[in-house]
């Protein structure tokens, strides 16, 4: 059985597929014994996918005492090390997206790119629905509430108007509930995980993330609401945003969703290859400098942000753009601030972009200042800036 030890716990993990390394971080209560899971998705057929049971869940240990998001991030690093990876492309879903944010912020060397699905930043950017507040509800009442939270189209009014369909969905949810929660420590571990989730807040630190990122959500998600997903995107420099048909489980509800995630990862994996190959005059060629770099912006008004799905680029356009991204290089000069030495290669764990693209004039984040202090600019060829498809 594939286990790795970290600090005081044994962590269960699995690895399947081949190709580019992808670490998949599941949501609350994720258990790799439950099917279908990520290894039944198209990701495992296109990439080398690694995933594990979070502490407190599945076959991973369930220690006593409170859990922290920092611990979850450190657990993920130990899983990478267990298979000999120093870094990977990270896909985080729901709670796993929160862990992915902490991982990118606390262990930036371990993250090549980020895909954040149906997740939020917490803090001023908005938090995911407080699931811990449902703990005292009767099981059936809690299930009704979760049905409306997972998909806002199935609110109380809809349930009242569709009693038979509602009962079918509730019965289906009960049948799909993990039987492993009845194991020793199962409920206690899940409770500690949800408590750690309630303290999640990366909002102020998000501008420090300096890797390509895709933020995506469901148009009818009441758990990670579209406005909070949009705020997460706007806080991560250079990130892209996409919304899909469906609620919190849009990855399984909209066939384009996993295709978009795979297309984004495909593009980043091509960047990995280019990064490792010398270009003209010995300089690396990469695609990351074509990513749109936008300064952090404050959260939008809730009413405006609720329309984010309508403003986000069409998913199919994103897929086609990423899959057909040109591999040409631009041979024009690279600019850099006066007095800052120019480097032929990036001193940081991401490609060396054109300075004017990497540090927008209005960006004042710690991450941007760190790049400036490091002189993260290039001499010689670099890629031209390329904006994402128009909404």
């Amino acid at each position: 059985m594939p286990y790795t030890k970290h600090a005081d716990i044994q962590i269960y993990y699995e690895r399947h597929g081949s190709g580019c390394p992808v670490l998949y971080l599941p949501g609350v209560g994720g258990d790799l014994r439950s099917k279908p899971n990520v290894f039944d998705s198209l990701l495992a057929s296109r990439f080398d996918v690694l995933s594990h049971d979070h502490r407190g869940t599945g076959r991973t240990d369930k220690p006593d005492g409170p859990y922290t998001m920092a611990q979850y991030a450190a657990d993920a690093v130990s899983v990478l090390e267990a298979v000999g990876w120093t870094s990977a492309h990270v896909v985080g879903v729901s709670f796993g997206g929160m862990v992915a944010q902490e991982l990118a912020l606390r262990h930036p060397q371990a993250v090549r790119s980020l895909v954040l699905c149906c997740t939020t930043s917490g803090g001023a950017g908005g938090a995911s629905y407080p699931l811990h507040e449902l703990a005292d509800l009767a099981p059936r009442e809690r299930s009704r509430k979760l049905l409306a939270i997972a998909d806002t189209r199935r609110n109380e009014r809809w349930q009242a108007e569709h009693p038979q369909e509602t009962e079918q969905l509730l019965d289906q949810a009960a049948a799909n509930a993990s039987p492993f929660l009845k194991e020793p420590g199962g409920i206690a571990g899940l409770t500690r995980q949800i408590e750690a989730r309630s303290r999640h807040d990366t909002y102020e630190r998000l501008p420090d993330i300096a890797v390509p990122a895709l933020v995506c959500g469901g148009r009818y998600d009441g758990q990670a609401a579209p406005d909070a997903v949009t705020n997460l995107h706007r806080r991560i420099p250079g990130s892209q945003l996409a919304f899909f048909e469906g609620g919190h489980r849009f990855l399984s509800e909209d066939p384009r969703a996993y295709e978009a995630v795979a297309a984004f990862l495909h593009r980043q994996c091509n960047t990995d290859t280019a990064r490792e190959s010398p270009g003209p005059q010995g300089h690396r060629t990469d695609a990351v400098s074509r990513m749109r770099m936008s300064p952090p912006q404050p959260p939008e008004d809730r009413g405006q942000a609720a329309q984010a799905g309508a403003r986000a680029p069409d998913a199919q356009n994103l897929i086609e753009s990423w899959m057909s991204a040109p591999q040409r290089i631009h041979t024009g000069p690279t600019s850099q601030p006066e007095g800052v030495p120019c480097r032929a290669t990036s001193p940081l764990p991401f490609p060396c972009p054109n300075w004017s693209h990497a540090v927008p004039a209005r960006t004042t984040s710690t991450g941007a200042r760190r790049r400036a202090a490091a002189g993260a600019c290039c001499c010689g060829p670099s890629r031209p800036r390329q904006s994402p498809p128009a909404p």
Side-chain angles (χ1 to χ4, degrees):
M1 300 291 283
Y3 284 90
T4 185
K5 185 172 179 60
H6 175 247
D8 58 337
I9 65 170
Q10 293 273 6
I11 302 173
Y12 177 82
Y13 67 90
E14 291 184 19
R15 178 184 177 186
H16 301 283
S18 62
C20 194
V22 172
L23 173 66
Y24 179 91
L25 300 171
V28 164
D31 189 318
L32 288 172
R33 291 172 293 185
S34 297
K35 302 291 183 179
N37 60 36
V38 64
F39 297 117
D40 301 301
S41 76
L42 63 82
L43 295 187
S45 66
R46 302 185 187 182
F47 305 98
D48 187 353
V49 179
L50 174 67
S51 188
H52 65 281
D53 292 338
H54 292 299
R55 67 170 56 216
T57 67
R59 283 171 280 188
T60 292
D61 287 347
K62 306 169 181 63
D64 292 331
Y67 303 163
T68 68
M69 299 306 295
Q71 285 178 317
Y72 282 109
D75 291 344
V77 173
S78 71
V79 172
L80 291 177
E81 293 173 346
V83 297
W85 293 356
T86 57
S87 63
H89 301 277
V90 178
V91 178
V93 176
S94 193
F95 174 80
M98 301 176 189
V99 177
Q101 294 168 51
E102 285 290 346
L103 180 62
L105 291 165
R106 294 176 179 273
H107 309 275
Q109 75 288 347
V111 179
R112 301 186 191 185
S113 69
L114 274 176
V115 179
L116 303 174
C117 301
C118 50
T119 194
T120 62
S121 68
S128 293
Y129 190 92
L131 296 178
H132 56 282
E133 295 182 359
L134 305 179
D136 295 333
L137 297 179
R140 199 70 171 181
E141 183 181 358
R142 182 166 58 246
S143 293
R144 284 184 175 276
K145 189 73 173 177
L146 288 172
L147 185 62
I149 294 169
D151 191 321
T152 56
R153 293 170 296 183
R154 294 169 176 163
N155 55 23
E156 291 184 5
R157 178 178 177 180
W158 181 91
Q159 292 181 31
E161 295 174 350
H162 301 81
Q164 184 174 357
E165 190 171 352
T166 296
E167 290 303 314
Q168 292 175 347
L169 290 171
L170 293 175
D171 290 342
Q172 181 181 350
N176 292 337
S178 173
F180 310 112
L181 288 176
K182 298 178 182 179
E183 296 176 344
I187 297 297
L190 178 64
T191 300
R192 295 184 184 109
Q193 184 183 35
I194 292 175
E195 289 172 349
R197 174 187 180 277
S198 71
R199 296 187 292 271
H200 167 70
D201 183 356
T202 58
Y203 182 78
E204 296 298 334
R205 295 175 287 150
L206 285 176
D208 289 349
I209 293 179
V211 294
L214 168 63
V215 178
C216 46
R219 296 183 187 278
Y220 310 105
D221 191 349
Q223 184 165 321
D227 57 348
V229 172
T230 300
N231 291 338
L232 174 64
H233 148 68
R234 296 173 73 85
R235 196 67 177 164
I236 301 176
S239 67
Q240 294 197 358
L241 176 68
F243 281 92
F244 299 92
E245 291 301 311
H248 197 63
R249 300 179 181 87
F250 71 86
L251 283 170
S252 60
E253 296 169 340
D254 188 336
R256 302 172 304 161
Y258 262 127
E259 286 290 350
V261 171
F264 176 84
L265 293 173
H266 172 79
R267 178 180 179 179
Q268 305 314 319
C269 293
N270 284 345
T271 299
D272 286 347
T273 302
R275 190 180 302 163
E276 295 165 0
S277 303
Q281 303 177 24
H283 295 292
R284 295 176 303 176
T285 61
D286 62 76
V288 172
S289 61
R290 297 199 316 272
M291 297 289 286
R292 174 168 55 93
M293 300 300 290
S294 57
Q297 302 180 34
E300 295 181 273
D301 174 79
R302 185 177 183 88
Q304 296 175 330
Q307 303 174 18
R311 295 197 310 272
D314 178 75
Q316 189 61 39
N317 288 344
L318 288 174
I319 296 170
E320 293 173 358
S321 172
W322 292 331
M323 292 301 288
S324 62
Q327 295 301 310
R328 299 187 302 273
I329 62 168
H330 174 60
T331 57
T334 304
S335 61
Q336 76 264 13
E338 182 178 356
V340 177
C342 198
R343 299 173 183 263
T345 58
S346 173
L348 302 175
F350 53 87
C352 191
N354 180 306
W355 184 279
S356 62
H357 299 167
V359 187
R362 296 189 300 276
T363 298
T364 58
S365 71
T366 301
R369 291 195 297 271
R370 183 189 305 145
R371 289 193 288 272
C377 58
C378 300
C379 300
S382 66
R383 285 196 178 276
R385 181 176 182 177
Q386 175 175 307
S387 298

